[in-house]
Amino acid sequence: MAYSNQAYVEHVAVRVRDIQWYINFFYEVLGMDVREIDGPVDAPNQYWTIGGMQLMSTPGFEAPPSNDAGWLAHLGIMVADLDGALNAAQRWGVKELPQGRNWLQLPDGLAIELIQARGNSVAEALAVNPRA
């Protein structure tokens, strides 16, 4: 079975130190393509994906410790192919968290939980245009 890198979140805005790393990770691992860009394409101020991520470039950003209330606990992301997404994520040097192999910590402390979707639910969710 070919890896189907599709996922859906609508939408979460996060501050990130290295916006280009996040753009590449969410595109290459989860298939979240660009919906909108604020600023120059090669160094955007903000970047929105189809699938619900809003990345906000904040070069000096320092995330509070993971046990601090107020910091985003984690993103739950439905994926069409969990094993494929986990294999693709390994190349990015992300850290597996104690909760399980599908829990990953990205740079700046952002944690994501990748969840295997049933059937064609991810493709069906992505086909919906809530802004139409």
Side-chain angles (χ1 to χ4, degrees):
M1 176 180 174
Y3 170 45
S4 173
N5 64 341
Q6 294 182 320
Y8 185 80
V9 172
E10 178 55 35
H11 85 268
V12 175
V14 295
R15 297 183 192 284
V16 297
R17 186 178 320 151
D18 181 353
I19 196 168
Q20 196 59 54
W21 188 96
Y22 277 84
I23 290 168
N24 294 338
F25 179 87
F26 278 99
Y27 177 74
E28 292 183 24
V29 174
L30 301 172
M32 291 184 176
D33 207 350
V34 63
R35 179 175 59 84
E36 184 178 344
I37 297 174
D38 171 37
V41 173
D42 59 341
N45 301 315
Q46 295 188 82
Y47 183 96
W48 291 264
T49 72
I50 297 170
M53 291 303 304
Q54 177 183 350
L55 305 171
M56 303 169 67
S57 180
T58 312
F61 178 69
E62 290 291 330
S66 59
N67 61 351
D68 231 10
W71 173 239
L72 180 65
H74 73 275
L75 299 177
I77 301 174
M78 298 299 289
V79 296
D81 179 357
L82 178 61
D83 289 329
L86 292 172
N87 288 334
Q90 288 177 354
R91 294 189 300 269
W92 290 84
V94 298
K95 176 182 166 188
E96 185 177 309
L97 293 170
Q99 293 92 322
R101 70 183 189 101
N102 62 316
W103 286 77
L104 305 174
Q105 186 172 40
L106 310 184
D108 303 329
L110 180 61
I112 61 174
E113 175 189 10
L114 301 180
I115 306 161
Q116 177 65 58
R118 291 187 181 164
N120 292 328
S121 61
V122 173
E124 291 169 5
L126 289 171
V128 173
N129 182 355
R131 300 180 192 279

